[in-house]
Amino acid sequence: EGAWLTRLAKRSGVVMEYELAADDNDGLVEERKIRKVYSPRTKRFLFIGVVVGVVAVVLVILLGVGLGVGLQSSGSSRDKCKAVESFQRFDCFPGRNTNESECSRRGCCWNGGVTEGSPQCFYSVDYVQGYGVSSVEHSGVGLTIHLSWLKESHFSPETFPYPGAVTNLAVSALFETNKRLHVKIYDPANSRYEVPIKLQQGSAQHEDQHSQRDYEFSYTESPFSFVIRRVSTKTVLFDTKYGKLLYSDQLLQISSSLPSDLVYGLGEHIHKDPSVESKPSQRIELADWRTMTFFSRDIFPENSTWNLYGVHPFFLAIEPSVTGKRKAYGVLFLNSNAMDIALQPLPAITYRTTGGILDFFFFVGDTPEDVVQQYTALIGRPFMPPYWSLGFHLCRWGYGTSNRTQDIVNEMRSLSISHDVQWNDIDYMRDYLDFTYDKSRFHSLPQLVNDLHDNNQKYIMIVDPGISNMQPPGKYPPYDRGLELGIFINVSKTNHTPIIGQVWPGNTAFPDFTNVQSTDYWTEMIKNFHDEIPFDGLWIDMNEPSNFISGSVDGCPKSSLNDPPFLPGFVGDRLYDKTLCMTSQQAASEHYNVHSLYGHTEAIATAKALQAVLKKRSLVISRSTFVSSGQYTGHWLGDNLSTWKDLARSIPGILDFSLFGIPMVGADICGFGGEDATEELCTRWMELGSFYPFSRNHNANNKRPQHPSSFSQTTALPAMRAALTLRYILLPYLYTLFYQAHVNGTTVARPLFFEYPNEDVYDIGYEFMWGKALLIAPVLEKVMQTLDLHAR
């Protein structure tokens, strides 16, 4: 049953046996009976225990009768709590402001001291809360299980601690392919929000193909739980009898065991706290009781507990070795509401979300690379980047003028440093207004772009989503036209005026990219601006969406959307901190549901607009992304710092996005913020960054220049030039990898365990590969002259 069961068996001398019977109609397996088999030593202890227990019960009864007291005591409940070892504890009181009084009201166990990061309030061994099977409907491609609230549950629907308890559920299990299973738990009586992205699901398999599937779906009737097991190895991949199935308007929860602690993905996060990490690793540390929050946020990526720019609730796991070989599988939780995903050392995982439905896809691959291919077959293959976009990109916030930008371009040419794409940050704009440029400081910008094109170079500029509403009527088309078309996010369902926040230009409205007219609007704005500045791609930033104030200039109304009963562990005290009110209205739904889709929908509109305007492949780089964004955009890892730790942890970040189907990814080479990059740090970063799939040097305003030509021409520059030259020599290979990713869904940059899944390389996040053929082992520490690497 996996590592967790082996551990329990060793602790207790008990082995669990499942009697399974196959249903010939649809390939399902139902658990008919569960029994325990005890070792001889355990049997002797059990016999002695039973005798002692019987004597004790008789004495208690006699004493109880004589004293006129009942049998129940606080000791019995304490014993049930003590029976739960720390690594087995599942949280009964998730969220914030956990306290003993409420834990007691919930009938749960309290451990105020907190052991090894385990929850303070947890379920006892016999705690009942959940659903039971009322009926089952079979079809040729799966089944639907109908559930009803268990009467034995600790809480009734009326007393459930979270409002809007759903009393009846349906579970749909659909066999989509031999390697992919879709399990959806929903309310059959009421329509609920579901993520509005297009998936490449195709038609599900008919029952006559079930013998070829490498997975089995089984369930237990009361309390309801389900198991997904790999057929070829009998490994249990997902077993939801752990924790409790909860389903209400604004809290949905489900837990499962995992077959091993080799788990990867679940982004966008930093995997280890930079204050304690030594060498970077892509693996998520389950021993740390890691809770990861998913809710798009504009924040420096400097803390492992912070929710960052993108939302990708997908993980890939390596199974225990069977006959000397390890297999891999993946799980996507398709939900865009604010959520926590908690991992614990059992090993186990718990999903808690503030809305939507419980919607899972299981990918039963053989190798890790198979899993990513299966995943991208569902969410969409990555876009095919133009060849020029694989060259070296140069940018900074703070060039100040177009003349200074031209000077840097000329410097790079004169020193024969490879440089394909020049960028500008927001300082090119007039008063930070989208689709404008400062005709005083950047008066020669059109000539600069023409010069780049004359030298076979390209130009990319930044565009933020916030559209100023402070310009005189008729003087700023982006706002006037958006208001005319009604494509801005509105205050609420009933107030159809644009919600106003504050970003770089001051008060701003925000286009609603879920509105069907928004793509036409965005295309019109991009075409008009391209007529002035013939850029070759676009950089879309601040699209979490970011807001310099919380909610709006008028605040946010009191509402369960703005202040839900369950608060995940996001940065800040309220969901609308540094973003829009959750009650604001978009075409697809309230912002509460689609907040984390904002960057994704903007990327779709931007990619379509560029295709319409340029009539050829282009490049979009977005800060905020979601499941399937890789079809439209690349990504950079955000506002990192110029430190050695940020250099090192860029590798796990890049490898994560390879799992997410976004291979066009990189970090800001030499670091964006913080202290100035030293020459040694920037040299080492240029060496590593030359092998980022997306290779761009970028830094912040008021920092010293860090483009290659700004460093020593006798020490740093030769090393930087050599690294870039090697990249350019390898561009045909890199381009081929991107083509394979586009067609087959394979990875470009990949971790070592993708190629060597049966070797002890699961924690190596400081080396990586391009495809199968190239190992990249960078220097990640200062004053390092030799390098130990995983040699093949």
Side-chain angles (χ1 to χ4, degrees), residues 93 175 191 228 244 294 362 431 452 480 555 580 591 631 669:
F93 193 174
F175 311 136
S191 176
I228 296 169
K244 307 301 170 187
F294 296 75
F362 299 88
D431 299 326
L452 289 167
D480 296 334
L580 301 178
H591 193 69
Q631 295 180 83
I669 295 173

Side-chain angles (χ1 to χ4, degrees), residues 291-595:
T291 296
M292 310 171 84
T293 300
F294 296 75
F295 190 67
S296 295
R297 170 81 186 209
D298 173 5
I299 193 168
F300 275 77
E302 291 301 314
N303 190 299
S304 61
T305 65
W306 292 348
N307 49 301
L308 300 181
Y309 315 106
V311 169
H312 296 272
F314 167 78
F315 75 79
L316 181 148
I318 304 297
E319 300 166 31
S321 176
V322 177
T323 64
K325 293 185 178 180
R326 289 181 178 267
K327 292 182 180 290
Y329 76 103
V331 179
L332 167 65
F333 178 46
L334 186 59
N335 187 289
S336 62
N337 290 85
M339 73 176 86
D340 279 344
I341 297 180
L343 296 119
Q344 63 190 76
L346 185 59
I349 188 168
T350 297
Y351 297 86
R352 296 186 191 95
T353 183
T354 57
I357 65 170
L358 298 176
D359 196 0
F360 291 92
F361 292 86
F362 299 88
F363 308 89
V364 187
D366 286 332
T367 68
E369 194 71 25
D370 291 338
V371 173
V372 175
Q373 290 180 3
Q374 292 164 14
Y375 180 53
T376 56
L378 175 71
I379 66 170
R381 304 296 197 197
F383 78 98
M384 182 65 198
Y387 192 78
W388 58 261
S389 69
L390 303 185
F392 177 62
H393 300 241
L394 186 59
C395 181
R396 78 161 297 165
W397 174 26
Y399 285 131
T401 68
S402 52
N403 287 345
R404 178 57 182 156
T405 310
Q406 181 74 68
D407 289 343
I408 302 300
V409 171
N410 293 340
E411 274 184 34
M412 296 285 286
R413 287 177 189 160
S414 66
L415 294 171
S416 301
I417 304 170
S418 302
H419 174 208
D420 262 81
V421 192
Q422 181 61 48
W423 297 47
N424 276 119
D425 207 321
I426 56 175
D427 47 324
Y428 80 83
M429 298 177 181
R430 173 174 60 86
D431 299 326
Y432 299 124
L433 296 172
D434 272 352
F435 306 113
T436 70
Y437 72 98
D438 189 317
K439 295 184 179 179
S440 174
R441 294 180 300 108
F442 280 80
H443 65 279
S444 60
L445 186 56
Q447 291 75 31
L448 165 64
V449 177
N450 289 336
D451 175 71
L452 289 167
H453 290 165
D454 289 343
N455 286 274
N456 296 314
Q457 293 170 287
K458 305 296 180 182
Y459 180 69
I460 291 177
M461 55 208 318
I462 192 170
V463 174
D464 290 340
I467 302 296
S468 173
N469 74 329
M470 301 175 65
Q471 309 309 304
K475 298 296 184 180
Y476 185 50
Y479 182 71
D480 296 334
R481 186 71 172 130
L483 199 62
E484 177 187 345
L485 294 172
I487 55 84
F488 292 122
I489 299 176
N490 289 328
V491 171
S492 68
K493 280 184 178 180
T494 56
N495 185 341
H496 298 160
T497 58
I499 188 169
I500 303 300
Q502 288 182 359
V503 203
W504 293 108
N507 287 2
T508 53
F510 297 81
D512 174 10
F513 292 104
T514 70
N515 186 315
V516 293
Q517 294 190 75
S518 64
T519 300
D520 291 340
Y521 160 79
W522 206 237
T523 301
E524 182 181 334
M525 296 304 107
I526 287 173
K527 180 184 182 306
N528 292 342
F529 195 39
H530 188 266
D531 289 343
E532 292 188 80
I533 308 294
F535 48 82
D536 302 285
L538 286 174
W539 170 21
I540 51 177
D541 192 12
M542 305 291 287
N543 54 355
E544 290 71 31
S546 180
N547 188 358
F548 291 168
I549 60 175
S550 293
S552 78
V553 294
D554 298 316
C556 296
K558 187 174 178 59
S559 163
S560 64
L561 298 183
N562 290 320
D563 297 291
F566 165 67
L567 290 178
F570 54 81
V571 178
D573 297 324
R574 301 157 299 183
L575 276 178
Y576 55 88
D577 276 352
K578 302 303 180 183
T579 191
L580 301 178
C581 299
M582 297 296 106
T583 44
S584 58
Q585 187 66 34
Q586 297 188 232
S589 186
E590 296 93 345
H591 193 69
Y592 177 86
N593 291 321
V594 297
H595 166 84

Side-chain angles (χ1 to χ4, degrees), residues 722-761:
L724 285 173
T725 299
L726 183 54
R727 177 188 181 88
Y728 275 76
I729 291 171
L730 293 167
L731 279 187
Y733 175 59
L734 181 61
Y735 193 57
T736 302
L737 291 175
F738 270 102
Y739 175 76
Q740 292 170 345
H742 175 63
V743 174
N744 302 317
T746 51
T747 55
V748 175
R750 63 187 64 163
L752 268 63
F753 72 85
F754 268 48
E755 290 302 315
Y756 310 106
N758 299 308
E759 297 188 20
D760 187 20
V761 293

Side-chain angles (χ1 to χ4, degrees), residues 81 86 101 197 252 338 345 413 430 604 721 728 732 759 769:
C81 293
S86 62
S101 174
I197 64 174
L252 296 80
R413 287 177 189 160
R430 173 174 60 86
I604 295 173
R721 184 190 291 112
Y728 275 76
E759 297 188 20
M769 300 189 72

Side-chain angles (χ1 to χ4, degrees), residues 31 56 77 100 130 162 185 191 224 227 271 287 354 391 401 404 420 425 437 461 486 501 521 539 619 621 697 786:
E31 297 181 5
S77 60
E100 186 173 2
Y162 300 95
I185 305 176
S191 176
F224 170 77
V227 174
H271 286 302
T354 57
T401 68
R404 178 57 182 156
D420 262 81
D425 207 321
Y437 72 98
M461 55 208 318
Y521 160 79
W539 170 21
L619 180 66
I621 296 292
N697 181 313
T786 60

Side-chain angles (χ1 to χ4, degrees), residues 73-136:
S73 70
S74 59
S76 63
S77 60
R78 283 198 299 269
D79 291 342
K80 293 170 184 175
C81 293
K82 288 180 180 178
V84 184
E85 295 195 48
S86 62
F87 70 92
Q88 296 173 289
R89 294 173 182 171
F90 286 82
D91 202 338
C92 177
F93 193 174
R96 310 181 186 199
N97 303 316
T98 303
N99 61 79
E100 186 173 2
S101 174
E102 176 62 17
C103 181
S104 177
R105 189 183 79 81
R106 297 183 181 206
C108 293
C109 306
W110 177 257
N111 173 35
V114 185
T115 305
E116 300 173 352
S118 61
Q120 291 179 297
C121 183
F122 57 94
Y123 297 114
S124 63
V125 291
D126 62 347
Y127 193 94
V128 178
Q129 185 68 55
Y131 298 82
V133 175
S134 56
S135 65
V136 181

